Amino acid sequence: MNSSNTRRNFLKKSALIGSGISFAGAIPFETLAKEAKHQNKLPAWKGFNLLDFFSHDPNAGRPTKPRYIQWISDWGFDFVRIPISYPSYLDIDRSRPIRPDEVLNFDESRLEKVDELVDRCISKGLHVSLNLHRAPGFCINAGFEEPYNLWKDQEAQDAFCAHWDMWAKRYKGISKKKLSFDLVNEPFQRQNPNDQHSPGGLVDVADYHRVAKAALDTIKSVKKSRLVIADGNGGGGIAVPELADLDLAQSCRGYHPFPISHYKAGWVYKDPESVPPVNWPLIQGERILDIEEIRKYYAPWKALVDQGVGVHCGECGCYNETPHEVFLSWFGDVLTVLKENGIGFGIWEFSGAFGVMNSGRKDVAYEDWYGEKLDRKFLELLRAQL
């Protein structure tokens, strides 16, 4: 080692550090405090949702191929969210609606399948967010019957907490850097829970606070350091400052405006073919929706970040009926705004109608990727954010 060169390098680095301190010292403390205030407390994780346990029927899941997890990691992503329908890991009769006395019939063999996916993802360096997409007493999707209402019935809340107690104990040994819990997917109050097109809206904030606090307390009693996330209200998109007194991060959505992200989606529109064409920017009457509209949409989430609440976008993306160029133009703006606010994202699915792989779009020249159909333009749009 050349000692004179080493000394010169040390002096050079010391001068740079010293100048940095002097520069910082010239900045008013209020300015520095303001900048620090805007730092998102959650890492800007970027990745995908994996739908292995999304269906209430474990035999109807969409298993994630091991090579998918490898590709997610190899391409530089660091996050997966696993939305779970709780009946998928119960030992029950699925030919009829679930009964209150069955909601805690945990099936160890099915729980081990979740363990396997969690372990595989963590082994590849991916942070795992475990989410109850369907919880005792609630799911934003219709087509089944719950025996009670999570937002109103104490029995449902008790069952909800019992599920999170089970998961908290099961994964107690896993660091919060590797695993977080997302309490319940997209709180929403639908007039008719069995009709997907039934109108609805916000869950009463007092009810949401009570249920979230009970589950949070349950989880923290097992592992105080566990990171816990609450989804936005009204289907995930509405920030909930009323939860800011709790030790909860929050999860927003990247589906605004909905006519772009869910264009001709059959579970949204009764007559998908009657939906008018879309473009970006989107013209709605006298309104022109562009990137400034997206900034306005995320302003309440930015306010949460400024308040010191961690924010992540747990779901985002676009259904495969939206013209590809429209989708990429719009979603590029969504990603820009999320990045401006230090908010990471989880694309709704890796392989499928919203995914980078096998999306089934009619207007994409797919790249053959080891026998799979890769949307290279979409992938590179995402990787540009890494």
Side-chain angles (χ1 to χ4, degrees), residues 47-62:
F48 302 86
N49 282 252
L50 304 179
L51 308 188
D52 301 55
F53 311 104
F54 177 62
S55 172
H56 70 282
D57 182 354
N59 298 316
R62 295 162 60 180

Side-chain angles (χ1 to χ4, degrees), residues 144-205:
F144 53 81
E145 293 181 26
E146 276 294 311
Y148 33 44
N149 183 335
L150 175 60
W151 312 116
K152 298 296 182 183
D153 300 333
Q154 184 63 44
E155 191 177 5
Q157 178 180 300
D158 292 345
F160 182 58
C161 290
H163 277 257
W164 278 120
D165 181 67
M166 180 273 294
W167 287 118
K169 290 175 178 174
R170 195 172 189 88
Y171 295 145
K172 184 177 181 179
I174 301 178
S175 163
K176 69 175 183 179
K177 294 182 179 179
K178 298 178 179 180
L179 177 74
S180 58
F181 292 154
D182 181 349
L183 292 178
V184 60
N185 183 71
E186 300 177 357
F188 193 78
Q189 195 67 59
R190 201 183 297 281
Q191 290 181 14
N192 182 355
N194 293 313
D195 180 0
Q196 189 66 44
H197 302 289
S198 174
L202 296 174
V203 171
D204 182 272
V205 173

Side-chain angles (χ1 to χ4, degrees), residues 10-28:
F10 171 77
L11 292 173
K12 191 183 296 182
K13 291 177 181 177
S14 297
L16 288 172
I17 293 170
S19 65
I21 293 172
S22 298
F23 177 69
I27 299 174

Side-chain angles (χ1 to χ4, degrees), residues 3 25 82 139 141 144 200 237 308 353:
S3 59
I82 303 177
C139 182
N141 300 118
F144 53 81

